[in-house]
Every structure is written in structure tokens, then in C-alpha cells.
Amino acid sequence: MDKKNALRAGALAAGTTLMMLLMSSPALALTRDDGDDPGTGLSVVETLGLYVLAPIALFAIIAGLVVVLDKSKEEHRVTSRNIKTRPKADAKA
């Protein structure tokens, strides 16, 4: 990439970042809005349980159900045991 394209990409990235920061500034306000009623915060254990352990457990449950309830037939699975090298039909010339 030449200097002109690098400069253009850097200017675009800087401009986009600046615009995002300017547009998100109301989100950083310290004053509460009318009707704002935040709840209590989560503890570290609750946060880890909710955002780390729960997704891992859900993934493990779904993967386990897929493995246990797999109804595919043995002859449809590609393994080294069921690879056949001879054709089933005879070729007629």
C-alpha cells in the first residue's frame, strides 16, 4: 500500500473514531434521566456465572443432545472401517 492510500485510510479511521466519540458523549452523562431507576449491580461471581458459565453450559447441553440423539446410520458415516474400494456394480463394455 502506498503512502497516499495509507494516509487516506488513517484519516478515515480517525474521522470515524472522532464522530463515534462525539455521538456517544450523551451516554457518558452523569445526570440521571427522568424515570431512570437503575437496579443494583452484579457481583463478580454473578457476572461470571451469567456471561461465562451459562453460555458454556448451554453449549455443552446442546452438543450433548446432538451426540446422544444422533440417528444417522453407520453406513452413512465416513470412517476408515466402512470405506469400500470395489465398485458395487459390474462395468459392461
Side-chain angles (χ1 to χ4, degrees):
M1 185 186 305
D2 58 356
K3 278 185 163 183
K4 188 176 182 181
N5 284 343
L7 186 63
R8 185 178 297 155
L12 181 66
T16 304
T17 304
L18 182 64
M19 289 304 293
M20 293 290 274
L21 285 172
L22 289 174
M23 297 301 253
S24 66
S25 62
L28 302 174
L30 295 176
T31 57
R32 299 250 183 245
D33 292 331
D34 290 337
D36 189 17
D37 188 20
T40 59
L42 296 175
S43 69
V44 174
V45 174
E46 291 171 334
T47 303
L48 288 175
L50 185 62
Y51 294 110
V52 177
L53 297 178
I56 290 173
L58 191 62
F59 177 80
I61 291 169
I62 292 171
L65 286 173
V66 168
V67 169
V68 168
L69 300 175
D70 183 21
K71 300 285 186 193
S72 64
K73 297 183 173 147
E74 181 68 30
E75 62 265 12
H76 290 205
R77 295 185 191 149
V78 179
T79 61
S80 60
R81 292 185 297 172
N82 64 1
I83 295 177
K84 296 178 178 46
T85 57
R86 295 182 173 220
K88 291 181 180 179
D90 292 332
K92 296 180 182 179

